[in-house]
Amino acid sequence: MVFDLDLIKKTYREMPAKVDDARKALGRPLTLAEKILYAHLSEGSRVKDFERGKAYVDFAPDRVAMQDATAQMALLQFDTTGRKKVAVPSTVHCDHLIVAKNEGKADLSKAVTDNQEVYNFLSSISNKYGIGFWKPGAGIIHQVVLENYAFPGGMMIGTDSHTVNAGGLGMIAIGVGGADACDVMAGLSWELLMPKLIGVKLTGKLSGWTAPKDVILKVAGILTVKGGTNAIVEYFGEGATSMSCTGKGTICNMGAEIGATTSTFGYDESMSRYLKATGRAEVAEAADQIKEYLTGDADVYANPEKYFDKVIEINLSELEPHLNGPFTPDLATPISQMKEAAAKNGWPTKVEVGLIGSCTNSSYEDISRAVSLAKQVAEKGLKTKAEFTITPGSEQVRYTIERDGFLETFAKIGATVFANACGPCIGMWERMGAEKQEKNTIVHSFNRNFAKRADGNPNTMAFVASPELVTALAIAGDLTFNPLTDTLTNEKGEQVKLDPPTGDELPLRGFAVEDAGYQAPAEDGSGVVLDVKSDSKRLQLLYPFAAWEGTDLKGLKLLIKAKGKCTTDHISMAGPWLKFRGHLDNISNNMLIGAVNFFNEKTDHVKNQLTGEYGPVPATQRAYKAAGVGSIVIGDENYGEGSSREHAAMEPRHLGVRVVLVKSFARIHETNLKKQGMLALTFANKEDYDKIREDDSIDITGLTSFTPGTPLSVVLNHKDGSVDTITANHSYNAQQIHWFKEGGALNVIRKEAAGK
């Protein structure tokens, strides 16, 4: 079954003329990213050379994808818009609420029982509004999208930061908050800051132990977790075309870890092969007809410095396998240097668990290369020293690798196969013993490794690597084991060396699956009734946020001055809190509980200025709300990096936080705050962060003349009677200021729908 074929063919019919018009208007060759962006300008937008990093541009994405944790809030918002059906093809994927504990079948069965209320709601609301529904067990959103929906030259948004995975199939695919998804499903244009362009030229060819994962691990080490902010990363060169489509997907997937808007590759033979292997030969044939429009112009790749804002070159023939971590995905260490790095930093070198799979590395190629190493355990008389788990990315991949005997091979080395879901990658891992909070090391092929991310233990040091390197380290049980040079002692006392991994890009016998897990929506969903119980602990219908009162904000209490890294995981944790993703008030009890308080170095322990006592962040904020007192959150650099979860913006809004003032924002989180009617500000002088005191009462002035490009003033009224006035910058345009004044973007949509 080919989804949305008419839409894809229409996109391809219109794309050449749109790209030619853009090339003429700009008077120069175009990158692939520019071709896709200009081909997706919203109707009525004038084609011009938009200033990168400065101009806000309206786009018309082809489709929307949502995972079950974020879909709840996105669809609860959509339900209030007054629309009868989604305006673009949209899907929901049930992958986030399944806890990994025992093994796939048992864990899936328990999840279906535990989450029945949520799954029924998502199924019914999808049915009502014409949305495709992928049932629990069908697979992880990004793998399912790659297998079924992604297409070269398309534009997609998704309510998950790793939506960017679809760049492996030549898309511009961007992670957004649910409010953005709501806009597009409601038929509105989607606004994006015109991204800067980073070109990554790949020369040479991967071989031996080096995998596509090592490319992005290397890039993360170069650019850091915020080096790609407000930029699209475009990969090109002989090294790019020599890689598999799913390998490209892995690289694009982890582009979220450098803050990139998205990443992409030009259409090539590997993409054509993948489309045909996944039953989409018609899409490949259509893409072949306009293939010159589905990659960057020749002069762009010949002279990249002229067209990209930054260019990086990596020789794949010289690239070494990497391990990134712990606690941040940009701490890149070549495997040959790990022994020295571990000793220097005191990292535990015993590997307790190796985990492969997830949305980042669960392709047939990934698993086949890992299984080539698993086979060597018996062949070379070895025993696997660490626990080992596999998380398939989709039922199609799981079924196929079972058919081809891979799961049987993994079983022989004691591996556990988890459900086709996110599981340990997002903290949905009920790991035995994690509650002891012992210092330990794990290695995985996932994308993120923040503290507490996988198992809730702040002392678990997680290192990110390719599936094949993870497998080798699990066999060895040693973080410092370098399979390129080191030997292992087998059961006979012999020294043996692991052979480099090998595998097939695609299954030689083709993909197979009995039930992929797809549920088509009703032709007419007007009669579908949504079942949301008034006393539900999991679901809660939304209410409109209040509009701005029309005055400056005075007497705001400092809720918390967050120190250091403060991701959306710190602002709104996942793990056990995922079950409340459809209930705004209940999930607000996790607001900022992971943020470190600058004044006492503790988490979830802040001063209540009304009582002088210290207590949890959510309880303190609820006390301010009950007293009718607004508050402000202060943050450090790259505030809100990580997952796209809009709950990190909705919770503060719901509980009465008015302003978030930081040194710098991660892109998606800043947009999410704006969508919810919050003030998202940055220090004009970053050193002013140090002027914020624990007992400050803070005023925001200049709002009555709030205009694009004009800074606001922040008055710090200190407890000792002294006052500091500092300047705060903002990036609001006229439309975003309108959102603020109306109390949020959803209020604007609702008014527009009511007026029709």
Side-chain angles (χ1 to χ4, degrees), residues 454-472:
D455 62 3
N457 177 3
N459 298 311
T460 292
M461 299 188 182
F463 293 83
V464 184
S466 67
E468 40 269 68
L469 186 56
V470 169
T471 305

Side-chain angles (χ1 to χ4, degrees), residues 305-317:
E305 291 80 6
K306 290 171 58 178
Y307 304 101
F308 292 100
D309 298 290
K310 183 182 182 71
V311 178
I312 297 169
E313 185 168 335
I314 298 174
N315 185 339
L316 302 186
S317 300

